[in-house]
Every structure is written in C-alpha cells, then in structure tokens.
Amino acid sequence: MNEPVRVLQVFAGMNRGGAENMIMNLYRNIDRSKVQFDFIVHTYDKCSFDKEIEELGGRIYRVPRYNGKNHFSYKKAWVDFFEKHPEYIILHGHIRSTASIYLRIAKRFDLITIIHSHSTASRGNGVEKLIKNIMQIPIRYISDYFLACSDEAGKWLFGKKVVNKNNYMLLKNAINLDKYLFDNVKRNELRKVMNLENKLVIGHVGSFTDPKNHKFLINLFYEVQKRKEAELILIGDGNLRESMEMYIKKLNLEKKVRIIGEVSNVNDYLNAMDIFVFPSFFEGLGLSVIEAQSNGLKCLISNGIPNEVVVTDLVTKLSLEESVEIWVKKLLIVATELKYDRQKYSEIVSSKGYDILEVSSILEKFYEDLLNKRV
C-alpha cells in the first residue's frame, strides 16, 4: 500500500481560530490514506489542537517565532528543517508575515509552495502593520500557488492580477453541516440549564483579539439589556480576554455576560442563541457567520466582513460608523422578527459550496494534481 503524501502546513500555532478551525475541518474529512497533514508552528507552547493532530496521525514541528532580531537564526531553523526532512514535496503556508522568508527557502529545497490568505487587513499597531505589509509584498512573486478563503482576501494579499491567474484558487471555509444543524430539543435543554428561558440571548464566537471588536459588542449589549431582559454569550479566548472581563465588571454586567472560553461544541451554544452579532473591524471571510447561518441563526454583522459570507437571508450588515443606538435598534428589530424554520438553512448553506465533504475533496484533488505535475 502506498504511503500518503505528507503536506506541510505552516501556522503560528494551532489554537482555535478561523484559519486553524478551517484546516482542522479539512484535516478531519480529507482521505488521510491519500493525504496526511503535518504542521510547522511558531511556538513551543502546547496548543488546543495539538492532541487531535497527533491522534489523526499528524506530526508537529516547531520553529522560533520571528521577531526581527532573530532573522538569521530563523532562516537557519528552516534550512535545518528541510535538510533533515527531504520527504516533503508540498508546503502550504497560512502565516503570511514571514512567508517571503520560508517560501524562498522551501523553493531552494525544491518544494511546491502554496500560500493561503485568510484576512483582509493586518493586525497589530501602526509599526507592526507597516512591517507586515512590506514583508508580504514579495509573496505574490515567490509562491507557486495562491489560495484564499474569499476573493476579497485574495486581492488584499496577492493583488488583483494574481487572483485572475490560473494558479489562484478560492477555497471556501467549509464546515460539517450536520454538526451545525439546528436542534430545538438541545436548545430548550441548554437554555433551561443556563437559566436563559424567556431571555433574549445574543451570541458571539471569536478570539479575544483586536479585529473582533469586543468592546463595541459589550457596549452594544449594555444598551440592549436596558431595554430587554437579555444575556450575552461570548465564546473564545485570547490576549484581550482579561481586559474585556475587567470592562464587563466596570459596567456591572458580570451576571449578564457569560464568557465560555474555547470549546469544541460551539454548535450547542448556537442552538441556544436568538441572534448572532459579529462586529469585526475586518475578516478574511468570517467562518463563525457561516456556522451561525447553517444553524439558522439570525446574524447582525459589520460591513468590515466580505459580502461572500452572506449566503442566506439571515444576515443583516451594518456600518461600524453608525452609532451604538442604531445598532441597538437594528438588533432588536432583527431578533424579534416572526419565527421561522431554522432547520432549513443547513441545506441552503450546503448549496452555496460550504459542505466540508465537498471542499475537502477539492483540496485533496488539488494536492494530487500538484504531485502529478511534479512527476
């Protein structure tokens, strides 16, 4: 029996996040007798998905996080890796800040290189964004192939010319649709356990990081709960969690805002929600919004999110330039509209190309075609 081709996936770390959730969804559903994923991460800390990766047969390798001062040792770590591991043929990069470095080195060792865009803006302060934006320019001239979660994300990282070339591919952030199918029994059970009955339950799924705009969301909820008996469920973790917990306490909202943290059963909490609010400054796509729509959950999202995320009539977009008061009014209107069949939306999302079984097959064929071209 032939061994599967091992594709090297490059990440900062494998904690729960949009890109990480996307690759794990694919990893779980791809035919691992044909394609196996291994990972290079830029951290020595244990991450949320490490155990599952190893259980699925993946290997995890570690290189230092790039900080500028370690430029030469960072390059050496990559050179040393490829010298020790000549078995790799395909490298699939998901971290762009240092992609111009590791892609060049991978090509020196004759690997087929792929770079994947998951965003439409840079994180960090002004200087950090400037450095990242400068470092990402050469990517479009180095990589062999270009993937993106949305065409907007592709144009932002690679430029319009690349998006129109044959070596560019839109790979949708697909999900396990059966998992996110609305379940009214589970909804009632969880709402009872969490004492959410007869309350407007507002939900959000996203890391506690700057792009997710949690402070705006908390301010929005502060105004909503003045008008209606409501609770806010926040799912996720991140470096801003502690400061947001302090802000919640400052507003005396501790009894009305629940921070769940990182969980593997986001779908259960979506069942319990009445409306999903996603006010990000920017997103590559917004995978959480796809999950919410599959669950038949009404969504109020910012205009910083690509239009490609709107795959059903459940989504209402609003500008972040609008006042909190406008957001409150819109939220209450959307959340209190007539009841509807939440179960039907999973099929609609599937018809838009977000079924993980379909997309994992597309990626599998993509890798196989690359190998056939090499042969």
Side-chain angles (χ1 to χ4, degrees), residues 175 177 180-182 270 276 285-301 305-316 340-350 352 354:
I175 61 173
L177 293 165
Y180 289 93
L181 182 67
F182 175 70
L270 293 178
F276 189 83
L285 177 74
L287 181 60
S288 296
V289 183
I290 298 294
E291 294 170 346
Q293 289 176 86
S294 184
N295 185 259
L297 189 57
K298 294 172 183 175
C299 304
L300 179 61
I301 69 174
I305 301 170
N307 287 327
E308 288 159 90
V309 81
V310 183
V311 295
T312 71
D313 59 4
L314 293 169
V315 181
T316 300
Y340 58 101
D341 179 10
R342 283 177 64 167
Q343 281 198 318
K344 73 177 183 180
Y345 284 92
S346 180
E347 189 173 330
I348 297 172
V349 173
S350 175
K352 300 294 184 178
Y354 287 91

Side-chain angles (χ1 to χ4, degrees), residues 204-216:
H204 174 83
V205 179
S207 60
F208 281 81
T209 52
D210 287 321
K212 301 301 182 184
N213 204 9
H214 278 87
K215 191 170 185 179
F216 177 89

Side-chain angles (χ1 to χ4, degrees), residues 163-181:
V163 170
N164 291 319
K165 290 183 177 180
N166 292 332
N167 59 346
Y168 167 81
M169 182 172 76
L170 173 66
L171 189 74
K172 293 185 176 181
N173 283 6
I175 61 173
N176 181 337
L177 293 165
D178 289 340
K179 180 178 178 180
Y180 289 93
L181 182 67

Side-chain angles (χ1 to χ4, degrees), residues 9-65:
Q9 308 285 348
V10 185
F11 278 89
M14 286 306 295
N15 286 313
R16 296 181 191 278
E20 293 81 5
N21 287 333
M22 176 277 302
I23 204 68
M24 291 304 296
N25 283 340
L26 289 165
Y27 191 19
R28 296 178 190 114
N29 289 277
I30 205 163
D31 185 346
R32 293 188 298 279
S33 69
K34 295 179 180 179
V35 179
Q36 178 59 252
F37 290 176
D38 293 332
F39 294 78
I40 282 195
V41 296
H42 292 66
T43 179
Y44 292 93
D45 297 332
K46 273 285 186 182
C47 297
S48 304
F49 287 125
D50 285 4
K51 186 174 183 290
E52 184 180 1
I53 288 169
E54 291 170 348
E55 288 173 347
L56 291 172
R59 302 163 186 162
I60 302 172
Y61 305 98
R62 303 179 189 276
V63 294
R65 183 185 177 192

Side-chain angles (χ1 to χ4, degrees), residues 58-74:
R59 302 163 186 162
I60 302 172
Y61 305 98
R62 303 179 189 276
V63 294
R65 183 185 177 192
Y66 185 83
N67 60 19
K69 296 177 182 178
N70 66 345
H71 180 78
F72 294 105
S73 60
Y74 179 78

